[in-house]
């Protein structure tokens, strides 16, 4: 989608540090890491947020989680947090569905 920075990352227009890629999803390191390991997993299909997931496109969410588990195994991550901010009040700043994967430090709960 025009004007979506993650679509521009997918097209190569904006550079990124790739972690993993397959036909349906792409993973890359976050520009502003919030933990020693912090990468994002995004579907290649433009979906604005978790609020836009429907019965018709929800298979991609499971696929992203399978990719996360695979990447975590490959990176040797034993413990990690998966976060998807949905909507501005929840902290979403890029409106292309993405899953943050954070690892390598103690995490607090509840999140801020
Ligand atoms: P959110 O605020 O939950 O929508 O997450 C968006 C994330 O995208 C933030 O953690 C940003 O640091 C990250 N981000 C924005 N632009 C880029 C970029 N060009 N490359 C990598 N990460 C980015």
């Amino acid at each position: 989608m025009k004007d979506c920075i993650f679509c521009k990352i997918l097209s190569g227009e904006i550079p990124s540090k790739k972690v993993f890629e397959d036909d349906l999803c792409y993973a890359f390191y976050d520009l502003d890491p919030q933990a020693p390991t912090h990468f994002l997993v995004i579907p290649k299909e433009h979906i604005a947020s978790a609020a836009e997931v429907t019965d018709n496109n929800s298979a991609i969410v499971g696929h992203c989680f399978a990719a996360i588990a695979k990447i975590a195994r490959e990176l040797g991550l034993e413990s990690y947090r998966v976060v998807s901010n949905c909507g501005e009040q929840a902290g979403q700043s890029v409106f292309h569905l993405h899953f943050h994967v954070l690892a390598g430090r103690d995490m607090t709960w509840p999140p801020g």
Side-chain angles (χ1 to χ4, degrees), residues 6-81:
F6 286 177
C7 285
K8 289 181 179 172
I9 283 176
L10 288 169
S11 72
E13 193 180 332
I14 294 176
S16 63
K17 197 170 164 202
K18 179 161 97 171
V19 181
F20 173 81
E21 179 173 18
D22 66 16
D23 289 350
L24 299 174
C25 72
Y26 183 71
F28 56 103
Y29 286 104
D30 197 291
L31 207 55
D32 181 23
Q34 302 301 311
T37 299
H38 183 180
F39 60 87
L40 304 171
V41 178
I42 65 173
K44 289 190 171 177
E45 176 187 356
H46 181 89
I47 299 169
S49 76
E52 303 297 319
V53 175
T54 67
D55 286 342
N56 290 330
N57 64 14
S58 61
I60 191 60
V61 175
H63 187 85
C64 286
F65 272 83
I68 289 167
K70 179 182 161 72
I71 297 163
R73 276 193 299 274
E74 285 173 0
L75 295 180
L77 305 178
E78 287 177 10
S79 185
Y80 52 92
R81 182 171 288 178

